[in-house]
């Protein structure tokens, strides 16, 4: 058995497993959304168990700096009673222990005696607590025109200026303008928004010219190659169709660590040293 972090290629198998093991009858329990949210916060704490290259189990862990949490421990019905859940829980515990997490909490349904017995066998105990919760309504997403207006007026709050928002802004300019004009809009807009949000400029934070130009190349090339095969009328549709672009680490395919961290890379565009970037369309 192999336990490893989740990768995007695991998504279909995870969804199939969860449909067998969890109750998703409630509208707010959308398994795709659960995966998407986890990939934003500590994605390295999303564990997969596989046997002979077949996904047979999952576990998620979380840590807020005060308490750790265990979620979505699931094992395929055909592979239960093989210590898979135990191994997944131990892997999650080790990862939380390495973060100096002092205590792990979990919740299970009262009508799930097998799960309760499992956790008791692993040292978890029922605590005299009243479990309470409140479901928050999701924020209403901005339309593309609203997002672009907020970007150009430097009114996007710093917490909302995520990597996905970067990709959406680049998409919106690159679908409207020639590459060099779009790149200049992206570049100056990010710099102005960072200044408005008082983002510290340091060797490891703030605006990075190489990152901006490289992602513009990747997004422009993706648009040129796939816009007819996979039409994406909105920025969100583009992000959801081309999820590889949502990983900031995709530039590791093109740049060595030394090249990416070179002091010059922050202030001027540095060509990659592993493989060339795709050329933007004419």
């Amino acid at each position: 058995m192999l336990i490893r972090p989740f990768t995007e290629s695991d998504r279909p198998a995870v969804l199939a497993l969860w449909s067998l093991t969890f109750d998703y009858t409630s509208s707010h329990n959308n398994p795709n959304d659960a995966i998407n949210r986890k990939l934003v916060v500590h994605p390295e704490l999303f564990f997969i168990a596989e046997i002979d290259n077949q996904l047979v189990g999952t576990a998620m862990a979380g840590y807020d700096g005060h308490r750790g949490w265990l979620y979505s421990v699931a094992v395929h019905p055909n592979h239960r009673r093989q210590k898979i859940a135990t191994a997944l829980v131990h892997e999650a515990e080790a990862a939380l222990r390495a973060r100096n997490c002092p205590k792990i909490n979990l919740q299970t349904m009262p009508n799930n005696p097998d799960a309760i017995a499992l956790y008791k066998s692993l040292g978890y105990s029922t605590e005299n607590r009243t479990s309470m919760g409140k479901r928050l309504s999701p924020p209403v997403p901005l339309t593309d025109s609203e997002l672009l207006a907020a970007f150009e007026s430097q009114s996007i709050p710093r917490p909302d200026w995520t990597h996905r928002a970067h990709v959406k802004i680049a998409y919106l300019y690159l679908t409207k303008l020639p590459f060099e004009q779009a790149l200049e809009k992206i570049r100056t807009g990010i710099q102005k928004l960072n200044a408005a949000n008082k983002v510290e400029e340091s060797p490891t934070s703030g605006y990075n010219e190489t990152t901006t130009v490289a992602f513009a190349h990747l997004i422009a090339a993706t648009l040129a190659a796939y816009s007819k095969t996979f039409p994406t009328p909105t920025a969100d549709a583009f992000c959801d169709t081309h999820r590889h672009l949502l990983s900031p680490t995709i530039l590791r395919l093109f740049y060595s660590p030394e090249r990416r961290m070179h002091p010059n890379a922050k202030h001027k565009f540095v060509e990659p040293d592993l493989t060339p970037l795709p050329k933007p369309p004419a």
Side-chain angles (χ1 to χ4, degrees):
M1 181 175 62
L2 172 67
I3 295 180
R4 57 171 176 78
F6 170 90
T7 65
E8 183 58 38
S9 62
D10 296 318
R11 186 182 290 258
V14 170
L15 295 176
L17 171 63
W18 287 358
S19 70
L20 289 174
T21 54
F22 297 136
D23 178 15
Y24 286 119
T25 56
S26 300
S27 59
H28 60 264
N29 285 332
N30 186 305
N32 250 319
D33 289 346
I35 294 174
N36 293 340
R37 286 192 292 268
K38 187 57 185 169
L39 295 181
V40 175
V41 182
H42 297 310
E44 71 279 6
L45 297 180
F46 188 177
F47 300 105
I48 298 299
E50 63 180 21
I51 296 176
D52 297 332
N53 296 318
Q54 179 185 356
L55 190 146
V56 297
T58 66
M60 286 185 186
Y63 183 47
D64 59 12
H66 180 63
R67 289 285 185 264
W69 283 87
L70 198 58
Y71 315 86
S72 302
V73 178
V75 175
H76 194 281
N78 294 341
H79 293 273
R80 291 175 182 169
R81 311 295 181 186
Q82 299 177 25
K83 301 294 185 182
I84 295 172
T86 297
L88 282 164
V89 171
H90 285 166
E91 187 78 14
E93 289 176 343
L96 293 174
R97 189 180 294 111
R99 288 165 168 76
N100 295 318
C101 172
K103 182 176 184 287
I104 301 175
N105 292 340
L106 62 85
Q107 293 178 324
T108 185
M109 299 300 290
N111 58 350
N112 192 347
D114 290 342
I116 294 171
L118 166 69
Y119 293 124
K120 284 185 175 180
S121 73
L122 296 176
Y124 292 80
S125 59
T126 303
E127 298 180 328
N128 186 20
R129 305 284 190 271
T130 299
S131 179
M132 301 177 69
K134 177 180 179 180
R135 186 154 299 280
L136 301 176
S137 300
V140 179
L142 298 177
T143 65
D144 284 352
S145 59
E146 291 171 339
L147 177 64
L148 202 57
F151 178 72
E152 294 179 345
S153 63
Q154 296 90 54
S155 58
I156 299 177
R158 186 170 179 176
D160 295 342
W161 185 228
T162 60
H163 178 67
R164 184 184 179 101
H166 280 74
V167 173
K168 290 171 67 173
I169 288 295
Y171 161 88
L172 292 172
Y173 282 125
L174 288 165
T175 55
K176 300 175 186 296
L177 299 171
F179 181 82
E180 291 300 332
Q181 293 182 31
L183 176 59
E184 183 58 25
K185 289 278 192 180
I186 298 164
R187 174 189 294 121
T188 57
I190 293 174
Q191 292 171 336
K192 289 179 180 178
L193 182 59
N194 284 353
N197 283 329
K198 296 181 172 55
V199 175
E200 178 186 5
E201 288 292 336
S202 73
T204 57
S205 67
Y207 178 77
N208 186 291
E209 175 72 1
T210 297
T211 299
T212 300
V213 175
F215 265 101
H217 277 255
L218 296 180
I219 294 167
T222 301
L223 281 167
Y226 290 99
S227 59
K228 292 183 179 179
T229 306
F230 301 114
T232 53
T234 67
D236 276 319
F238 178 79
C239 289
D240 292 337
T241 301
H242 305 289
R243 299 193 62 84
H244 59 285
L245 295 172
L246 299 183
S247 172
T249 60
I250 194 174
L251 294 186
R252 293 177 185 173
L253 298 175
F254 301 90
Y255 290 88
S256 67
E258 296 77 15
R259 190 80 158 182
R260 284 282 290 116
M261 297 303 294
H262 194 281
N264 290 343
K266 179 174 172 60
H267 302 291
K268 66 178 183 180
F269 174 62
V270 174
E271 293 283 353
D273 56 342
L274 298 183
T275 191
L277 289 163
K279 296 297 182 183

